[in-house]
Amino acid sequence: MTNYTGGAADNSWTITPVDGTSIVDGNGGTDSLLIDWSALNNVQYGSWGTSLGYAFVATSDRSVTAYDIERLALLFGGGNDYFEVRNNAIVSLDGGGGSDHFDAHFTSSNANISFVLNPTAGTTSTFVNQGTTIRNVERVSISTGSGNDSLTGG
């Protein structure tokens, strides 16, 4: 198990498969976490919500639990992966290979969110006025809030 604890300043961490099970606590500042599991081919899943600043990402043999992280980026591998975002959290997700599902719960947002799913593999799709980006994701579920939202599938 690997534990990382930040201080009052901005902190940045990268977690790879060799880190095994990890716990990251950003504490103060604006903290960034990159979970790079792109070399893995087993199913990866997780969720993140800003109300607690809590993230959990796992496979069958490793996990990352994170607290007080403001910027989260995920690079998944060849499995059929699932990741959900709650409470308008902002994430950058690359699903890698496989058939991946991104589940976005932006119901607390009053911004005018617009989204167009780009069907071309390897290209990025952005939730405009929200900030989340996804690429190499084949299935998207989206719930939005009170804004004048525009959502287009690919």
Side-chain angles (χ1 to χ4, degrees):
M1 176 179 273
T2 307
N3 293 318
Y4 300 96
T5 303
D10 298 347
N11 302 286
S12 180
W13 295 276
T14 298
I15 304 292
T16 64
V18 297
D19 292 302
T21 296
S22 301
I23 298 174
V24 180
D25 189 344
N27 282 323
T30 301
D31 304 305
S32 301
L33 174 60
L34 168 62
I35 300 173
D36 184 352
W37 286 351
S38 57
L40 301 177
N41 288 318
N42 50 346
V43 175
Q44 299 157 37
Y45 63 91
S47 65
W48 189 36
T50 57
S51 64
L52 299 174
Y54 172 81
F56 178 75
V57 182
T59 67
S60 59
D61 59 350
R62 65 187 42 96
S63 66
V64 175
T65 303
Y67 304 93
D68 296 322
I69 298 296
E70 287 73 35
R71 295 183 180 128
L72 179 64
L74 304 159
L75 302 175
F76 285 167
N80 298 332
D81 311 313
Y82 173 83
F83 193 78
E84 73 174 337
V85 173
R86 298 198 166 271
N87 300 321
N88 208 35
I90 299 171
V91 66
S92 174
L93 170 66
D94 186 333
S99 180
D100 307 304
H101 181 189
F102 178 70
D103 193 357
H105 299 269
F106 300 143
T107 55
S108 64
S109 175
N110 59 7
N112 297 329
I113 297 172
S114 65
F115 177 77
V116 176
L117 181 61
N118 191 328
T120 304
T123 57
T124 301
S125 300
T126 302
F127 289 84
V128 176
N129 295 325
Q130 194 280 331
T132 289
T133 61
I134 60 173
R135 65 187 291 151
N136 296 318
V137 173
E138 291 71 33
R139 183 174 162 209
V140 179
S141 303
I142 305 168
S143 302
T144 60
S146 61
N148 185 15
D149 306 313
S150 172
L151 309 172
T152 305

